[in-house]
């Protein structure tokens, strides 16, 4: 895993700010305290330099200004980061301005960065929220996936404020940043590094030793014993499939559980319904949902949250071989539903269905939330700019929408009309696994809904946002590869649930 640098959120005098680079976000139509202060210390040098560079403080505008030693500052450069007009200002603008500035100096190999956040920049009157989100975005932007060589030059990152934020914010930010790094590392790993066996090893390495956390793994023989035939069938062509079950029992006073399910297809070649070369090229990322779940569990356990979570991660390879499952096969799923396979490339819903049904039967959770790179169709519908959210529960969905607002991880609500289910009619079984191209993401979600039964359930289709594709998602805090989308969303969601319950 990439290493997280030392982090802090503090108020201090600018003269004492011992960081190589200071990032200074400000508006085009309003000045901020730190800009005035810096200009005062440098006797007008900062504003003069900005004006020579014709800097307008537009959103996405960045300007590096070297600081001459004569002003007695410890910093070597100031990076101006435009926020545009104050009227349209929000947290996402601050994230983007800050991380664009961060990336503009990354190749300069500075070993410490301080971001200047004075009161004018505080969102919703919440200094803690503003500071932790800003710091987190910087850490997200400095992540880099590489195999082998690792050169790290960034040692310290700080958010410097004018007020005193709460203690312990750093601990929160570190746990979330680590969760995002974990999730990205797993999703970015090529399929010859992480196959189902490798996934199991990774999970054990990351989660074992964390308090209140236990891991159980069903391999071939246990999957057979349990009748988890959806997972077994998809996994037949590849190396031994798994169902990884993780319990985090952080609230011993309660027997209520929340379920999370994450799709982990370590490589999706499509099976016998083989994908084209081009559409196969990114399919190492088809384990992104499972990767997010591992990250989320890590952060929840690390922070010792007062909640009980059970996670199920079905892990398979979907590749063609003489043992692969075949079109027209009929599978008796874990809950007894008979599914006729039309397309072996619609494998995600089969392994998720068994995982959801398993949790429904054995844990009776208050809610199940699943996250998956499920359909190309959701990318057609929404592009690379939001995840699709489907649910049978207004109550939990509304909490998720709040979490989405707070984190900037966009979701867009999609319908579950009963007609979608009709597209899955089979002549010989209860359901088919695909129902034509029309409304593909909704049809897939309707398939899953069948297995959630009466359990409140939310489905997140993250096929468009799990990694950086040709058109997006675009943000300076998303380096190439996996985004870790969903880690912040789900953590904020469970944070809210925990707060509501206590
Ligand atoms: N993993 C893919 C979905 C996917 C496609 C994710 C592109 C990200 C980008 C999924 O298993 C799949 O192959 N779905 C098929 C379903 C179809 C056969 C009904 C799809 O979306 O084309
Ligand atoms: Zn597929
Ligand atoms: Zn897939």
């Amino acid at each position: 895993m990439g290493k997280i640098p030392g982090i802090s959120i503090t108020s201090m005098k600018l003269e004492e700010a011992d960081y190589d680079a200071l990032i200074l976000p400000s508006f085009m139509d309003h000045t901020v305290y730190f800009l005035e202060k810096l200009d005062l210390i440098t006797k007008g040098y900062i504003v003069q330099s900005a004006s020579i560079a014709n800097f307008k403080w537009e959103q996405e505008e960045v300007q590096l200004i070297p600081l001459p030693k004569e002003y007695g500052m410890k910093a070597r450069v100031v990076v101006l980061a435009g926020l545009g007009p104050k009227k349209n200002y929000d947290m996402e603008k601050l994230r983007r301005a800050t991380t664009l500035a961060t990336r503009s100096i990354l190749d300069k190999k500075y070993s410490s960065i301080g971001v200047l956040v004075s009161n004018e920049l505080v969102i919703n009157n919440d200094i803690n929220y503003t500071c932790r989100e800003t710091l987190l975005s910087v850490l997200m932007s400095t992540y880099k996936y590489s195999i082998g060589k690792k050169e790290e030059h960034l040692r310290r990152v700080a958010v410097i404020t004018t007020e005193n934020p709460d203690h312990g914010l750093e601990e929160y930010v570190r746990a979330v940043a680590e969760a995002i790094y974990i999730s990205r590392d797993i999703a970015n790993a090529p399929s010859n590094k992480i196959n189902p066996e490798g996934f199991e090893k990774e999970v054990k390495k990351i989660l074992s030793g964390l308090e209140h956390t236990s891991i159980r793994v069903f391999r071939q023989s246990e999957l057979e014993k349990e009748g988890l035939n959806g997972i077994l069938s998809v996994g037949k062509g590849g190396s031994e499939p798994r169902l990884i079950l993780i319990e985090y029992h952080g609230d011993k006073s309660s027997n209520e559980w929340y379920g999370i399910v994450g799709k982990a297809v370590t490589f999706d070649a499509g099976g016998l319904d083989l994908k084209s070369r081009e559409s196969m090229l990114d399919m190492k990322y088809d384990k992104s949902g499972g990767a997010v779940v591992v990250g989320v569990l890590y952060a929840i356990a690390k922070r010792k949250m007062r909640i009980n979570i059970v996670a199920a991660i079905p892990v398979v390879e979907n590749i063609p071989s003489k043992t692969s499952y075949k079109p027209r096969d009929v599978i008796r799923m874990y809950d007894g539903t008979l599914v006729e396979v039309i397309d072996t490339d619609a494998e995600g819903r089969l392994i998720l269905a068994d995982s959801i049904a398993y949790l429904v039967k054995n844990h009776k959770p208050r809610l199940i939330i699943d996250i998956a790179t499920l359909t190309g169709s959701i990318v057609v519908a929404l592009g690379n700019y939001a995840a699709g959210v489907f649910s049978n529960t207004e109550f939990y969905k509304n909490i998720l929408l709040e979490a989405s607002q707070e984190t900037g991880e966009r979701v867009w609500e999609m319908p579950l009309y009963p007609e979608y289910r009709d597209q899955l009619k089979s002549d010989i079984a209860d359901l088919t696994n695909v129902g034509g191209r029309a409304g593909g993401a909704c049809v897939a979600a309707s398939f899953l809904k069948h297995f959630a039964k009466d359990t409140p359930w939310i489905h997140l289709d993250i096929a468009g946002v799990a990694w950086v594709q040709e058109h997006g998602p675009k943000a300076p805090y998303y380096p190439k590869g996996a985004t870790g989308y969903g880690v912040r969303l789900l953590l904020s969601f469970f944070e809210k649930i925990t707060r509501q319950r206590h």
Side-chain angles (χ1 to χ4, degrees):
M1 182 174 70
K3 226 170 111 44
I4 311 259
I7 53 177
S8 58
I9 301 178
T10 56
S11 65
M12 66 169 79
K13 287 219 172 88
L14 269 189
E15 295 88 332
E16 281 151 24
D18 185 14
Y19 299 90
D20 293 341
L22 293 177
I23 293 176
L24 176 59
S26 185
F27 306 106
M28 57 193 305
D29 48 2
H30 279 85
T31 183
V32 296
Y33 168 80
F34 277 131
L35 173 56
E36 287 177 357
K37 187 79 193 173
L38 208 53
D39 205 47
L40 210 66
I41 297 171
T42 61
K43 305 182 173 71
Y45 169 77
I46 294 290
V47 169
Q48 204 174 43
S49 306
S51 141
I52 290 168
N54 202 17
F55 192 75
K56 296 276 189 313
W57 299 96
E58 307 252 22
Q59 171 87 41
E60 311 236 313
E61 213 186 337
V62 162
Q63 178 68 45
L64 195 136
I65 301 177
L67 260 186
K69 284 215 166 59
E70 60 187 274
Y71 302 119
M73 299 271 305
K74 292 179 172 152
R76 292 156 60 195
V77 295
V78 173
V79 190
L80 310 181
L83 288 169
K86 184 160 187 182
K87 184 162 107 305
N88 302 327
Y89 175 64
D90 61 17
M91 190 62 230
E92 187 61 16
K93 294 237 165 69
L94 182 55
R95 282 190 198 101
R96 285 179 189 244
T98 306
T99 52
L100 208 63
T102 304
R103 288 187 54 163
S104 79
I105 53 167
L106 263 183
D107 58 336
K108 305 233 177 343
K109 308 209 187 315
Y110 293 121
S111 69
S112 52
I113 296 178
V115 185
L116 304 175
V117 179
S118 45
N119 337 3
E120 302 89 342
L121 300 185
V122 171
I123 317 270
N124 298 337
N125 256 324
D126 191 341
I127 177 94
N128 297 324
Y129 168 70
T130 310
C131 289
R132 74 172 151 78
E133 286 296 315
T134 305
L135 184 55
L136 188 54
S137 70
V138 173
L139 299 177
M140 287 176 73
S141 72
T142 59
Y143 170 92
K144 188 171 187 291
Y145 183 72
S146 67
I147 298 175
K149 56 163 188 221
K150 285 223 163 65
E151 21 142 349
E152 268 142 15
H153 38 86
L154 194 56
R155 292 248 149 71
R156 289 182 298 132
V157 181
V159 167
I160 299 164
T161 70
T162 40
E163 291 169 51
N164 276 321
D166 286 355
H167 286 291
L169 281 184
E170 290 92 348
E171 213 182 320
Y172 173 86
V173 172
R174 175 170 296 277
V176 181
E178 281 174 353
I180 292 169
Y181 278 38
I182 285 168
S183 163
R184 286 179 179 175
D185 279 351
I186 294 175
N188 280 328
S191 78
N192 61 342
K193 275 205 83 186
I194 293 194
N195 63 1
E197 182 190 346
F199 201 106
E200 175 184 335
K201 278 199 186 130
E202 228 24 68
V203 169
K204 287 182 170 160
K205 200 167 81 194
I206 292 160
L207 297 180
S208 57
L210 287 171
E211 244 175 281
H212 311 307
T213 310
S214 58
I215 305 169
R216 249 189 322 158
V217 180
F218 291 167
R219 299 214 192 144
Q220 185 79 23
S221 62
E222 290 99 341
L223 292 170
E224 280 169 9
K225 223 179 316 157
E226 295 286 346
L228 288 153
N229 296 317
I231 298 170
L232 278 169
S233 299
V234 175
K236 271 165 74 178
S239 57
E240 192 180 6
R242 313 270 198 283
L243 177 62
I244 301 179
L245 293 162
I246 307 156
E247 279 183 14
Y248 169 73
H249 204 169
D251 185 0
K252 294 277 189 317
S253 72
S254 153
N255 225 343
E256 280 169 4
W257 291 82
Y258 294 84
I260 320 184
V261 176
K263 170 178 174 180
V265 177
T266 59
F267 193 77
D268 183 10
L272 288 177
D273 290 309
L274 194 65
K275 286 183 184 293
S276 66
R277 180 196 65 80
E278 206 182 337
S279 59
M280 202 187 294
L281 208 46
D282 278 342
M283 283 300 120
K284 68 169 185 177
Y285 295 115
D286 212 21
K287 54 183 165 357
S288 297
V292 166
V293 173
V294 179
V296 167
L297 260 290
Y298 172 85
I300 285 176
K302 192 86 185 176
R303 304 201 47 241
K304 302 194 171 71
M305 280 173 66
R306 254 183 92 188
I307 192 167
N308 300 324
I309 308 259
V310 54
I313 309 175
V315 198
V316 300
E317 263 177 336
N318 188 28
I319 53 176
S321 113
K322 66 181 178 188
T323 54
S324 293
Y325 79 133
K326 302 174 188 67
R328 298 286 184 211
D329 281 359
V330 174
I331 306 170
R332 182 179 296 281
M333 302 289 284
Y334 178 76
D335 77 341
T337 304
L338 293 174
V339 174
E340 181 185 9
V341 176
I342 303 297
D343 193 322
T344 62
D345 199 10
E347 83 296 340
R349 62 199 74 182
L350 295 171
I351 64 173
L352 292 174
D354 263 4
S355 308
I356 291 170
Y358 185 88
L359 293 189
V360 167
K361 177 152 182 244
N362 298 285
H363 286 81
K364 302 182 179 57
R366 292 284 292 261
L367 165 80
I368 294 178
I369 180 158
D370 80 70
I371 179 160
T373 48
L374 199 64
T375 67
S377 164
I378 198 69
V379 193
V380 175
L382 301 176
N384 301 104
Y385 317 113
V389 59
F390 301 82
S391 87
N392 62 8
T393 154
E394 284 288 304
F395 176 75
Y396 288 111
K397 185 198 74 199
N398 287 333
I399 301 176
L400 186 81
L401 294 181
E402 278 173 35
S404 171
Q405 278 292 324
E406 198 173 285
T407 57
E409 293 196 324
R410 285 205 198 115
V411 297
W412 190 258
E413 195 180 354
M414 301 287 288
L416 281 168
Y417 305 130
E419 288 91 332
Y420 293 121
R421 184 48 210 284
D422 302 337
Q423 290 179 222
L424 294 168
K425 280 207 172 109
S426 164
D427 293 332
I428 57 172
D430 299 317
L431 292 173
T432 57
N433 76 330
V434 302
R437 275 168 54 85
C442 306
V443 175
S446 300
F447 182 92
L448 297 180
K449 180 170 182 267
H450 168 87
F451 295 88
K453 304 208 166 63
D454 296 331
T455 302
W457 154 82
I458 298 177
H459 160 58
L460 286 164
D461 193 336
I462 57 165
V465 292
W467 71 97
V468 177
Q469 304 172 25
E470 187 190 348
H471 300 291
K474 266 184 280 198
Y477 49 78
Y478 285 155
K480 279 191 193 131
T483 57
Y485 174 101
V487 171
R488 287 182 299 142
L489 180 68
L490 293 187
L491 283 174
S492 157
F493 175 80
F494 284 111
E495 211 49 75
K496 287 175 188 299
I497 301 261
T498 312
R499 240 176 288 140
Q500 272 193 2
R501 294 179 57 249
H502 296 285

